[in-house]
Amino acid sequence: MKTQANTMSDVEVGQKLGELEFPVTASAIVAAALATNDFENVHHDMAAAKATGVPNIFMNILTTNGLVQRYVTDWCGPGGRITAVDIKLGAPNFAGDTMTLSGEVVEASQGQVKIDVKGTNSIGEHVRATVSLELGETS
């Protein structure tokens, strides 16, 4: 996905952000869990995850939150500053799947932008988020 909105003049309500596909690998899940100090065994131990009734290790919420923010900042570029994230998880992101992020501008006024972000995988909607950010008025 390329940077599409450096200033408010580049933004319109209803504007769609390009999709971002993220391969959910076991390495990505484990590395991100360790990086966020999340040592729950369902994020790094397949046997422990399966013992809870799931088919594989799965991504933690902090990783999902980071990917949602990366998606938005890739779109807005260095002129944007995230001010709030409201996030809800749904279907787990299991190792071996792909999460596809998509988004749409739902508010844009006086340097303030709100973006609805959705992330889906092969079993359904993994994440739904609203990201608020400040964006410069001119270039």
Side-chain angles (χ1 to χ4, degrees):
M1 180 174 71
K2 294 184 180 180
T3 302
Q4 299 176 7
N6 293 309
T7 66
M8 285 301 293
S9 63
D10 299 325
V11 178
E12 294 179 14
V13 172
Q15 181 177 357
K16 306 276 190 212
L17 283 64
E19 288 188 344
L20 173 67
E21 288 190 354
F22 182 82
V24 183
T25 65
S27 294
I29 292 170
V30 172
L34 292 173
T36 58
N37 290 320
D38 185 344
F39 302 110
E40 290 294 322
N41 55 12
V42 294
H43 302 308
H44 64 83
D45 183 330
M46 187 181 302
K50 286 183 176 186
T52 69
V54 297
N56 208 333
I57 62 172
F58 55 92
M59 187 178 285
N60 71 2
I61 190 169
L62 295 171
T63 305
T64 298
N65 194 341
L67 289 169
V68 165
Q69 291 184 52
R70 168 197 163 187
Y71 174 68
V72 171
T73 58
D74 280 357
W75 171 77
C76 70
R81 186 177 72 84
I82 292 177
T83 57
V85 178
D86 181 19
I87 194 166
K88 253 186 194 177
L89 289 184
N93 262 341
F94 292 114
D97 209 341
T98 298
M99 177 176 64
T100 302
L101 290 165
S102 60
E104 180 178 347
V105 175
V106 294
E107 292 180 29
S109 174
Q110 298 178 339
Q112 305 296 311
V113 179
K114 278 193 180 177
I115 300 170
D116 279 347
V117 176
K118 180 170 79 169
T120 59
N121 58 37
S122 67
I123 58 175
E125 187 173 274
H126 170 67
V127 64
R128 176 72 67 155
T130 302
V131 179
S132 301
L133 62 115
E134 293 177 349
L135 194 61
E137 291 290 337
T138 59
S139 46

